[in-house]
Amino acid sequence: MDVRDYIDANASGFFDALKEWLAIPSISGDPGRRDDVRRSAEWLAAHLRETGFPIVEIWETEGLPAVFAEWPAENPAAPRVVVYGHHDVQPVEPLDEWETAPFVPFEKGEQLIGRGASDDKGQVFFHTLGLKANLAASGRTAPPVTVKMLIEGEEESGSPHFADLLRANKDRLACDAIVVSDTTMWAADVPSMCTGMRGLTEADISLYGPSIDLHSGSFGGAVPNPLHAMAELLAGLHDERGRVTLDGFYDGIVELTEEERAMFAKFPFDEEKWLETAGESGAAYGEEGFTTLERVWARPTAEVNGMWGGHTGPGGKTIVPREAHAKLSFRLVAGQEPEQVQDAVRKYVAERTPPGIRAEVRIPGPGVRPCFSPIDSPGVQAAKRAMEKAFGTEVLFTREGGSGPEADLTDILEAPLVFLGVGLDEDQIHAPNEKVDMPLLLKGAETAAYLWDEFATGL
């Protein structure tokens, strides 16, 4: 029996088991669901044992548990691969927008609807079917590479304990490549692989002037206005070409190669339709010299998320306000560090705050580091071959604008990343009626089945 025949023959049982797992409301952000997150970990551990993994453990953290499993290769010298994903899910509100109860998964045509169907239980789960298909087709009793799975339970809550978990178990997780199955493709008929995710850091700025709001007739035009100063600060974040003006902001970033830009240009991207999905925005905007896809996937950004101060209620109030506030966020690309950008923000504000205004910059957290995998790396090329064999067509490369714990994975484990996901942007991830295309999950399993042989010879 070949890989495809095995997957087809076992698809029904695969989806029945997945529905059992999806029925567990493992919402890591809800303290009332902590027991359910643990129950999800226990369910997955039991299923991995049933799959055949000889080593399966629940790893405790100061928060919620992760699941570790290992299946050693027959050849002790074979490459070692860690598969990363998460078993926790997002909250489900607003409930009245769901077609059915979010933790009662159901099939609608070729779609499986339920919280976690795509993000990320479905994409974790296809690896179990893929590994069994690899063994059934080859007649082996162990995979051609050592497969380790690390499925965390706090990704949807920012992975607060994940880096510590990786450091504490670095020897157990030693590997030659890390497979991340928590991403999407361009479309069901345009398979693609992500090769990078942007990082993130934030900053809150407060400007203080007079100790009280002042009468604008008596004092306006004669003392500095914190809102004027804030408007100038924020307007100065970008130059006339749309480039961020923070000192050293672009130093050391990994630039797009001509091959990547050519690959991005192959996608059937309709900017007008895309603008409709962007809240019916009236025009594209951004750094000159780059396309919309390049800006979203591979360029760093500075965004004003909010600004306020002074009188915002009904009617007029002629004052010089005593303070002004703004929230900023920065998406980062490979070569940038959150701490570097945070320091640049502090310097920018200090240098541009006018006399008579006191400035405070608060950084709400350490930020998330960006991650990147070169498209010509052995692991990426091996995964591309496996995916093209499963889908029967050329696989293109994308990047993603979001952020996750992948930088910690590659930095702490000192191994390259390979992104392998089959979700779609229209899966309504984090929204009501989250769904996954069932045929794509089977294609994911088929890709995973081919992946281990490609890694055995390609890493």
Side-chain angles (χ1 to χ4, degrees):
M1 179 178 292
D2 67 12
V3 163
R4 197 163 293 170
D5 289 339
Y6 182 90
I7 289 173
D8 289 343
N10 290 274
S12 178
F14 167 80
F15 286 115
D16 286 344
L18 176 57
K19 289 175 189 176
E20 286 186 18
W21 195 20
L22 294 176
I24 301 174
S26 52
I27 305 171
S28 61
D30 182 351
R33 293 293 188 182
R34 294 179 66 87
D35 289 345
D36 290 315
V37 179
R38 179 168 297 279
R39 188 156 58 93
S40 171
E42 292 169 349
W43 189 96
L44 176 60
H47 187 81
L48 292 176
R49 293 186 188 101
E50 182 182 327
T51 298
F53 279 87
I55 301 168
V56 181
E57 300 168 2
I58 292 179
W59 283 0
E60 300 295 342
T61 73
E62 292 186 14
L64 298 166
V67 178
F68 172 78
E70 181 176 359
W71 198 329
E74 292 177 338
N75 178 5
R80 302 156 297 172
V81 181
V82 167
V83 175
Y84 166 82
H86 61 91
H87 67 93
D88 64 318
V89 300
Q90 280 276 314
V92 294
E93 290 76 18
L95 280 170
D96 59 357
E97 294 185 15
W98 285 81
E99 292 185 37
T100 186
F103 295 106
V104 182
F106 75 102
E107 296 180 22
K108 184 178 182 181
E110 292 188 325
Q111 297 179 349
L112 178 59
I113 298 175
R115 177 58 91 225
S118 181
D119 183 24
D120 184 35
K121 289 179 178 178
Q123 300 207 68
V124 167
F125 209 57
F126 72 60
H127 281 284
T128 62
L129 180 58
L131 186 51
K132 292 169 73 172
N134 177 285
L135 298 177
S138 65
R140 291 185 295 252
T141 57
V145 299
T146 292
V147 178
K148 305 177 184 183
M149 296 191 72
L150 179 61
I151 313 302
E152 74 158 316
E154 296 184 310
E155 194 272 349
E156 298 292 9
S157 297
S159 303
H161 305 103
F162 190 60
D164 289 340
L165 184 70
L166 293 175
R167 294 187 188 99
N169 295 281
K170 183 175 178 179
D171 291 343
R172 298 283 305 276
L173 293 167
C175 61
D176 301 289
I178 303 161
V179 174
V180 177
S181 290
D182 190 18
T183 52
T184 58
M185 304 192 309
W186 178 266
D189 58 348
V190 185
S192 62
M193 290 175 57
C194 175
T195 59
M197 300 183 76
R198 292 194 293 187
L200 174 68
T201 192
E202 298 170 277
D204 296 342
I205 301 174
S206 295
L207 299 182
Y208 300 96
S211 59
I212 59 172
D213 292 342
L214 299 176
H215 189 295
S216 65
S218 301
F219 299 97
V223 295
N225 183 316
L227 275 172
H228 292 182
M230 182 66 79
E232 290 183 4
L233 273 179
L234 301 182
L237 276 173
H238 298 87
D239 65 16
E240 66 280 359
R241 298 177 56 211
R243 286 175 63 85
V244 179
T245 59
L246 297 183
D247 187 37
F249 187 74
Y250 295 95
D251 291 353
I253 70 170
V254 177
E255 299 285 355
L256 279 165
T257 66
E258 289 306 313
E259 183 180 3
E260 286 178 298
R261 300 189 80 169
M263 185 74 73
F264 288 1
K266 289 185 177 182
F267 285 100
F269 179 65
D270 186 323
E271 189 165 273
E272 289 189 6
K273 288 185 178 179
W274 178 83
L275 286 170
E276 291 176 5
T277 70
E280 299 183 358
S281 296
Y285 166 82
E287 185 182 0
E288 284 184 10
F290 297 92
T291 67
T292 296
L293 286 183
E294 290 169 350
R295 292 168 182 160
V296 171
W297 287 345
R299 299 302 294 172
T301 67
E303 294 293 341
V304 180
N305 306 130
M307 58 184 296
W308 66 98
H311 177 63
T312 57
K317 189 179 183 184
T318 53
I319 60 170
V320 175
R322 61 182 176 177
E323 60 191 56
H325 307 275
K327 287 182 176 290
L328 310 181
S329 64
F330 301 85
R331 294 290 176 174
L332 314 179
V333 299
Q336 291 179 303
E337 295 290 337
E339 185 176 353
Q340 162 205 347
V341 175
Q342 293 162 12
D343 289 342
V345 172
R346 293 187 183 97
K347 179 181 178 183
Y348 174 87
V349 172
E351 291 178 346
R352 297 196 180 208
T353 300
I357 298 290
R358 178 174 61 87
E360 290 182 0
V361 177
R362 188 179 72 87
I363 306 298
V368 177
R369 301 180 65 222
C371 59
F372 173 66
S373 298
I375 62 176
D376 58 355
S377 64
V380 170
Q381 287 298 311
K384 183 174 186 286
R385 292 191 296 271
M387 200 171 194
E388 288 179 340
K389 186 174 181 180
F391 280 84
T393 188
E394 180 185 14
V395 169
L396 304 179
F397 293 114
T398 69
R399 297 194 198 178
E400 287 202 4
S403 307
E406 287 77 13
D408 285 335
L409 277 163
T410 190
D411 288 349
I412 295 171
L413 301 187
E414 300 178 28
L417 293 168
V418 176
F419 294 90
L420 175 61
V422 294
L424 299 174
D425 285 343
E426 57 262 35
D427 283 349
Q428 298 181 216
I429 292 169
H430 294 197
N433 301 310
E434 179 181 347
K435 62 87 176 172
V436 72
D437 282 17
M438 296 164 68
L440 287 184
L441 281 189
L442 298 182
K443 284 296 184 185
E446 187 178 348
T447 300
Y450 302 140
L451 183 65
W452 310 126
D453 291 307
E454 292 290 349
F455 274 169
T457 58
L459 285 181

